[in-house]
Amino acid sequence: MATACTNGLDTGFVDLGYMKVAVLGVVQGITELLPISSTAHMRIVPALLGWKDPGSAFSAAMQLAALAAVVSYFWSDIRALAEGSLRALVRRDFNDWTFRFVVWIALATVPIGIAGLALSHTLNTCGSPLRTLPVIGISCIVMAALLAIAELYCNHKRTLEHVSLKDAMIVGFAQVGALIPGVSRSGSTLTAALFLDLKREEAARFSFLLGLPAIALAGLKELWELHKAQLDFHGWAVLTVGLFVASLSAFVAIWGLLRILERFSAWPFVFYRAFIGIVLLVGFYAGFLA
């Protein structure tokens, strides 16, 4: 289905209305923080239901829903890092682990910040070549393969207290891959963290904490772009409904991801990602996904 444009910005969600956006908000919220690609699901679900593509602006703005869920779920970790780093700064104890960890997160955000600004027009423009189904499908399959390799060949024994600046930068550069639709920010950072031999649940925790600045910046930037594009009151109201629903479902998604990684492994996500990638490619070339 065709999407819509507002001053060149991809805003298909506006024409969907409140109920459809609420449904997609649930899907977006769940898939945004699971390593299964929210973009892929935002193409598959509307296509199967005969709805318009909600557009890249919707996916980008939903980062704020993910931010709300991550902050609320990991509030104790975030508060400890903030208070610990501030106390260390007052004492000028720059060797304090919390202070160093916060600095590492800031440095690890620089690569995706630069890449995001460089590719912003390509990513969010109407008819972006990166949002084509073959690109998303191939990305899903490639990431499924990388996640499988991380499960097969890496030792999952390290904890968050063992990470270094080098580890943070590796995950930070991996996060840049999330700009390619289908890769998934959670998928790229979780996979990179698993390759660093972190325990599965610690890898997820590291992924979420390190991604906080990037999630916040992406969401706020998209709100500013929608403001500049002069989105009308109806558009803002529809987006607000999507954000509220997505934040609730994203919180549940974090809980589910951590339970799965603690009790099982990342294999369920490997198989699911590969399946979604195959569905997208077959659907595109067979003609039942436009």
Side-chain angles (χ1 to χ4, degrees):
M1 292 291 179
T3 188
C5 291
T6 302
N7 292 338
L9 198 64
D10 193 351
T11 58
F13 70 90
V14 177
D15 294 333
L16 290 173
Y18 298 104
M19 290 303 298
K20 292 178 181 179
V21 162
V23 172
L24 294 181
V26 173
V27 177
Q28 175 78 27
I30 293 173
T31 58
E32 180 67 41
L33 295 178
L34 294 180
I36 55 176
S37 175
S38 59
T39 305
H41 289 79
M42 284 299 100
R43 295 302 304 274
I44 290 175
V45 174
L48 292 178
L49 295 176
W51 299 349
K52 285 185 175 182
D53 180 356
S56 56
F58 179 77
S59 297
M62 287 300 108
Q63 298 285 327
L64 293 178
L67 176 68
V70 172
V71 169
S72 58
Y73 196 96
F74 292 100
W75 176 245
S76 60
D77 287 324
I78 295 168
R79 184 177 62 183
L81 287 172
E83 292 176 352
S85 59
L86 286 174
R87 285 196 298 267
L89 190 60
V90 170
R91 299 193 311 267
R92 296 188 178 182
D93 181 9
F94 303 125
N95 288 321
D96 180 86
W97 184 86
T98 56
F99 176 80
R100 286 185 292 138
F101 189 75
V102 169
V103 172
W104 297 343
I105 289 176
L107 293 174
T109 305
V110 173
I112 194 171
I114 295 173
L117 289 174
L119 295 174
S120 60
H121 294 296
T122 302
L123 292 169
N124 292 337
T125 189
C126 295
S128 171
L130 291 179
R131 278 181 63 85
T132 61
L133 294 183
V135 170
I136 299 172
I138 291 171
S139 297
C140 284
I141 294 171
V142 169
M143 288 306 300
L146 291 174
L147 191 54
I149 294 171
E151 275 293 337
L152 285 171
Y153 297 106
C154 298
N155 297 317
H156 307 297
K157 296 181 179 180
R158 298 176 67 203
T159 64
L160 200 59
E161 287 70 27
H162 295 145
V163 301
S164 64
L165 173 59
K166 178 182 176 182
D167 295 328
M169 294 307 297
I170 289 172
V171 177
F173 276 104
Q175 191 172 221
V176 175
L179 295 174
I180 302 173
V183 168
S184 163
R185 197 209 63 81
S186 175
S188 61
T189 54
L190 176 64
T191 301
L194 289 174
F195 269 112
L196 296 173
D197 293 326
L198 285 168
K199 292 180 179 180
R200 295 179 182 90
E201 63 274 19
E202 290 285 270
R205 185 174 161 220
F206 188 28
S207 166
F208 287 129
L209 292 175
L210 186 141
L212 276 173
I215 294 172
L217 290 173
L220 292 172
K221 178 182 180 298
E222 198 57 36
L223 289 188
W224 176 246
E225 293 295 333
L226 288 169
H227 169 71
K228 290 197 300 180
Q230 299 179 342
L231 186 68
D232 60 18
F233 177 80
H234 172 67
W236 284 113
V238 171
L239 182 63
T240 300
V241 170
L243 284 169
F244 176 74
V245 175
S247 63
L248 297 178
S249 57
F251 187 92
V252 175
I254 297 174
W255 179 88
L257 173 63
L258 294 177
R259 297 294 84 74
I260 291 172
L261 292 177
E262 286 173 3
R263 299 180 183 180
F264 303 103
S265 66
W267 281 109
F269 302 113
V270 171
F271 295 127
Y272 186 76
R273 283 193 70 107
F275 171 74
I276 290 295
I278 292 170
V279 168
L280 285 169
L281 292 177
V282 172
F284 176 76
Y285 290 109
F288 66 82
L289 287 178

